Amino acid sequence: MTEIQKPDFEELSYLYKYISSLDKQLADMINRGDLEAQAVRRASAKVRSLLAVEALDQISVRELAREKSGIKVPALEKAGIRDLGTLWKKASWRIDLISGIGYKQAREIRDALSRYKHKVEENTYVRISGDLDSKENRELISALYIYIRGNKLRAAAEKLYDERHEEVTAALSQAKLKA
């Protein structure tokens, strides 16, 4: 007569936890798509901001007068500021040190400049290019790579999850009841 072996509860507990963990990892992998898409959007916004600042170098400081009346453009030009990019790169406290520009005027200039940059940014399209060698561009390329490669893995994980999740949940539920 064959002897009935006692179950190895330690091994069964390990398998239960392992299978639960695999099921959860599949669900997490599927849900990572949203996080990876957000990373692409954040990286893209950084590149767009960088490109907008570069575009400001090509725009005359006289454009500020169109954005906000009362800005003393001649005082800025006399100080050697000819384009919005140069002005953007100056610290706020340095702007109010310019002869003829006070604290209030400096704040108005910074506000108008921010609005102008925002408009430029909204109309700036991001293209992946090897010409733009910046930390922001590398971040965007990396985020896109992770997102695109992740889509393939997520599709496979979703298929497996859809096919087996209910069975796994039911089996784990029964194992828990009997244990």
Side-chain angles (χ1 to χ4, degrees):
M1 178 169 173
T2 59
E3 187 177 322
I4 299 177
Q5 286 188 322
K6 261 177 118 175
D8 183 348
F9 290 109
E10 201 172 296
E11 179 72 16
L12 289 173
S13 175
Y14 169 78
L15 288 172
Y16 180 88
K17 289 175 185 172
Y18 181 71
I19 292 169
S20 294
S21 172
L22 287 177
D23 190 58
K24 184 181 179 330
Q25 286 176 33
L26 281 174
D28 290 346
M29 185 184 296
I30 293 164
N31 294 329
R32 279 194 59 80
D34 292 338
L35 295 173
E36 291 171 3
Q38 287 173 2
V40 169
R41 284 190 291 276
R42 278 192 308 272
S44 179
K46 287 179 184 178
V47 170
R48 197 170 33 262
S49 178
L50 183 71
L51 293 171
V53 169
E54 286 179 7
L56 292 177
D57 289 338
Q58 309 304 314
I59 301 170
S60 170
V61 75
R62 292 187 176 274
E63 289 294 319
L64 274 183
R66 290 186 187 149
E67 183 67 32
K68 171 86 169 108
S69 64
I71 291 181
K72 299 173 186 169
V73 174
L76 295 172
E77 290 176 328
K78 188 175 179 184
I81 299 170
R82 304 273 182 259
D83 59 79
L84 295 182
T86 302
L87 190 58
W88 179 262
K89 293 166 191 148
K90 276 203 175 294
S92 296
W93 63 270
R94 304 240 7 212
I95 295 171
D96 65 9
L97 295 178
I98 296 171
S99 180
I101 306 283
Y103 173 77
K104 183 180 176 194
Q105 176 82 175
R107 191 177 65 227
E108 289 173 353
I109 289 170
R110 184 57 72 189
D111 290 345
L113 187 58
S114 290
R115 286 190 303 274
Y116 203 91
K117 179 192 173 268
H118 183 70
K119 287 179 189 176
V120 171
E121 213 171 280
E122 285 180 333
N123 294 307
T124 300
Y125 295 95
V126 175
R127 292 187 190 129
I128 303 299
S129 168
D131 295 340
L132 183 62
D133 185 31
S134 67
K135 178 184 86 146
E136 293 83 0
N137 197 47
R138 288 188 296 275
E139 282 178 21
L140 176 58
I141 291 169
S142 177
L144 279 168
Y145 178 81
I146 290 168
Y147 179 74
I148 291 167
R149 294 291 290 191
N151 275 341
K152 292 177 183 178
L153 290 173
R154 272 188 295 285
E158 197 164 355
K159 182 180 178 199
L160 182 60
Y161 188 82
D162 289 346
E163 289 173 357
R164 299 291 181 209
H165 175 69
E166 287 182 26
E167 292 174 38
V168 167
T169 304
L172 290 175
S173 172
Q174 287 180 345
K176 197 172 194 176
L177 289 174
K178 293 179 181 176

